Amino acid sequence: MEFKAIVDTKARSACGCAVIGVHENGDLGSAARLIDAQIGGIIGRLIASGDFAGKVGDTLLLPHPAGAAAERVLLTGLGPQASFGRKPYRKAVQSSAQAILKTGAKDATVYLAQHDVPGMDGHFRARAIAEIFSAAAYRIPDLKSGAKPKPGKLAAVNVAAENARALKSAASGLEIGAAVGSGSALARDLANLPPNVCTPTYLGERAMQLDKDWPRIKTKVLDEEAIRALKMGAFLAVTQGSAQPPRFIVSEYRGGKKSGAPICLIGKGITFDSGGISLKDPPGMDEMKFDMGGAAAVLGALRAAAELALPINVIAIVPTCENMPGGKAVKPADIVTSMSGQTVEILNTDAEGRLILCDAITYSRRFKPAAVIDVATLTGACIIALGNQVSGMMSTDDGLAGEIAAAGSRADDRVWRLPVGEDYADALKSNFADFANVGGREGGACTAATFLSKFTKDLDWAHLDVAGTAWLGGSHKGSTGRPVPLLVEFLVQRARRR
Ligand code: BES
Ligand code: MN
Ligand code: ZN
């Protein structure tokens, strides 16, 4: 889908569909007023007769309205003026996208960004349109036999601005929103694929594809022998029960100065988490195909950085393998030596994410990174704490934590900071090794992060636990693409800060 900002003060753009906003009390935006006049006051009459209430989420399609430049006009409810804000705005954009995608319109002019939205400037109003329209057009790469439903026809979306200044901020918003859209789509595709397709080998191939598609991305994929040579004993312990060979993916985007310290984004890439010998219960085990959601998100964010040609260096690091039981699998009580030299007593083989991440964190040191952010579907405890709405964020650096929290809020991909460190270290004590890989049930998200913090000394580090936010269960089962919007906003801000 192509996005473009245009100046349109007369609401007279010829297109497949004009999208205009109507508040619940019948207040029309300026574009809606102009179009209403062009088509003989139909909109006013529809409101007066109670046929369109303007509730958030309401849409009403007017096909071939005589007098309009557009082939269709889509009325979109914005809810009460008094409580208008980010949330109703995004919901209205979302419903309009869904409604247009059901029509035959090939292009659309969206006038919604002309409305004042408290807490959202023109840049972000346009950005939301690109992001939300891209997401609405996304289709799961399903393996259903039979005829595929026809994809939506909508190929071009113009966002109308009132003047040259508004045009500029809308254009920059659309550029970032579109990159977030394609980065999220990549992440969603990877996470939605079944685990017999999306194996560690496959993830490595997709990362190699990024290298082919983007001149500034260079990927290398390490195999088991190379991983062994690096002495990644914790990572190797997790993969040893699986018939699928592991991969260690390093994808570098070099957009900044050669000497510029990179941002390392580390993604948990467990392509299936059975729990290993500490086997999970059958109900819901299928959902553990999403356990590479962190890996998918960092690759999506890297793609977005390349598409935006951000003037910084970003490195996506993905340790990827399966966590399986079997005669060769790691056992509770096994002790392994991590790449850092620290030894770990593996008391629960289902706490595998931290084991592959700790070696990836140690590996990242060779880049002398400006910041290291790991992204992982790490703990069920984080879902209990924060639900599916907000990701958990732990950091030993207040500055970095603040940056990430702010990026999450601006990108509507929020995080909440949870504690990490000293207070939780006792839970990980072991009589036989430097520490254990699990604490008790209580504070599980925090003890997991505290385990990671044992490998992050002197690094500017943050951890995102996206177990609740990277995918949804139930009838909406599937990947959300989170936290790609947050990561891209973080990178955009870092690129400005230089
Ligand atoms: N991948 C899971 C975490 C998870 C659970 C993600 C549910 C999404 C939904 C992780 O590897 C795991 O199994 N964590 C254990 C840790 C425990 C053994 C300390 C958990 O959360 O139960
Ligand atoms: Mn697990
Ligand atoms: Zn896991």
Side-chain angles (χ1 to χ4, degrees):
M1 204 176 280
E2 297 286 327
F3 297 95
K4 212 173 104 195
I6 58 169
V7 173
D8 176 353
T9 47
K10 302 210 166 75
R12 272 239 166 262
S13 290
C15 61
C17 188
V19 183
I20 54 180
V22 179
H23 277 293
E24 213 169 298
N25 61 355
D27 262 4
L28 303 181
S30 60
R33 263 197 307 278
L34 289 166
I35 290 183
D36 194 29
Q38 293 161 19
I39 63 179
I42 298 178
I43 299 174
R45 290 202 295 281
L46 283 168
I47 292 166
S49 61
D51 290 316
F52 189 72
K55 288 205 179 359
V56 187
D58 283 357
T59 57
L60 183 66
L61 187 75
L62 312 180
H64 309 294
E71 290 160 30
R72 304 166 188 79
V73 170
L74 184 72
L75 307 186
T76 303
L78 302 177
Q81 179 91 58
S83 56
F84 196 47
R86 299 172 80 94
K87 204 172 165 200
Y89 175 76
R90 290 181 71 94
K91 187 157 179 220
V93 171
Q94 159 108 38
S95 344
S96 68
Q98 278 164 347
I100 299 183
L101 284 163
K102 287 189 196 134
T103 73
K106 294 189 193 68
D107 59 348
T109 307
V110 180
Y111 294 92
L112 299 179
Q114 293 180 350
H115 289 262
D116 279 333
V117 184
M120 222 176 174
D121 62 17
H123 171 94
F124 279 97
R125 298 198 294 268
R127 185 151 151 186
I129 290 175
E131 220 179 285
I132 293 169
F133 270 67
S134 303
Y138 175 81
R139 294 290 168 267
I140 287 179
D142 68 51
L143 301 171
K144 293 182 183 173
S145 56
K148 291 260 171 221
K150 289 215 175 79
K153 291 207 170 56
L154 189 65
V157 175
N158 292 328
V159 170
E162 282 134 325
N163 53 45
R165 228 182 104 206
L167 179 83
K168 216 174 143 219
S169 47
S172 73
L174 290 176
E175 194 191 355
I176 296 175
V180 168
S182 14
S184 302
L186 170 62
R188 291 172 76 178
D189 271 353
L190 294 176
N192 283 328
L193 285 169
N196 59 334
V197 173
C198 185
T199 59
T201 306
Y202 179 84
L203 272 184
E205 286 164 7
R206 293 294 296 261
M208 282 313 293
Q209 191 61 43
L210 285 177
D211 177 309
K212 289 211 182 71
D213 294 346
W214 301 94
R216 288 178 176 177
I217 294 182
K218 291 278 162 282
T219 297
K220 68 179 177 184
V221 178
L222 308 186
D223 63 7
E224 181 165 352
E225 202 185 329
I227 296 165
R228 202 167 293 284
L230 285 164
K231 298 196 160 63
M232 295 187 170
F235 179 21
L236 287 165
V238 177
T239 188
Q240 74 188 43
S242 165
Q244 287 290 339
R247 293 287 183 260
F248 191 84
I249 302 168
V250 183
S251 270
E252 302 191 27
Y253 164 73
R254 294 279 171 187
K257 288 201 204 80
K258 229 180 157 165
S259 58
I263 312 278
C264 286
L265 301 177
I266 301 178
K268 173 179 174 183
I270 296 291
T271 58
F272 189 73
D273 180 11
S274 70
I277 297 295
S278 315
L279 198 61
K280 288 182 182 294
D281 280 342
M285 201 202 272
D286 62 295
E287 293 176 337
M288 285 303 118
K289 73 168 183 175
F290 295 115
D291 212 16
M292 35 59 69
V298 302
L299 291 174
L302 193 79
R303 187 198 186 283
E307 186 172 327
L308 292 168
L310 294 181
I312 49 171
N313 299 326
V314 186
I315 305 180
I317 300 175
V318 173
T320 171
C321 67
E322 288 180 341
N323 184 24
M324 298 293 275
K328 292 184 175 161
V330 71
K331 305 171 291 298
D334 280 2
I335 294 179
V336 298
T337 304
S338 67
M339 186 183 180
S340 72
Q342 300 179 98
T343 56
V344 181
E345 184 182 18
I346 299 179
L347 290 178
N348 188 326
T349 66
D350 199 10
E352 84 297 340
R354 59 198 80 180
L355 294 171
I356 71 171
L357 291 169
C358 72
D359 281 345
I361 289 170
T362 302
Y363 181 88
S364 76
R365 289 179 182 277
R366 69 178 55 201
F367 299 111
K368 306 216 169 358
V372 177
I373 303 176
D374 77 77
V375 185
T377 47
L378 204 62
T379 65
C382 189
I383 312 180
I384 301 300
L386 298 176
N388 303 113
Q389 289 82 356
V390 173
S391 306
M393 186 252 297
M394 290 81 162
S395 180
T396 41
D397 186 281
D398 290 344
L400 182 60
E403 268 180 83
I404 292 175
S409 296
R410 279 194 306 271
D412 272 298
D413 185 3
R414 258 167 294 281
V415 302
W416 193 260
R417 190 174 181 186
L418 297 171
V420 59
E422 280 302 282
D423 293 341
Y424 295 89
D426 282 351
L428 296 170
K429 283 215 164 112
S430 160
N431 283 354
F432 307 101
D434 291 342
F435 37 83
N437 76 326
V438 285
R441 253 163 54 83
E442 297 85 1
C446 304
T447 51
T450 299
F451 178 92
L452 295 177
S453 75
K454 298 197 174 279
F455 301 82
T456 64
K457 194 163 179 288
D458 299 328
L459 291 173
D460 265 6
W461 164 75
H463 159 64
L464 297 177
D465 193 330
V466 295
T469 52
W471 56 279
L472 295 173
S475 60
H476 294 289
K477 192 186 269 189
S479 164
T480 60
R482 290 177 69 180
V484 170
L486 175 156
L487 292 174
V488 174
E489 172 61 13
F490 173 80
L491 295 176
V492 165
Q493 293 304 330
R494 277 285 170 130
R496 288 203 183 128
R497 196 172 102 167
R498 278 170 330 122

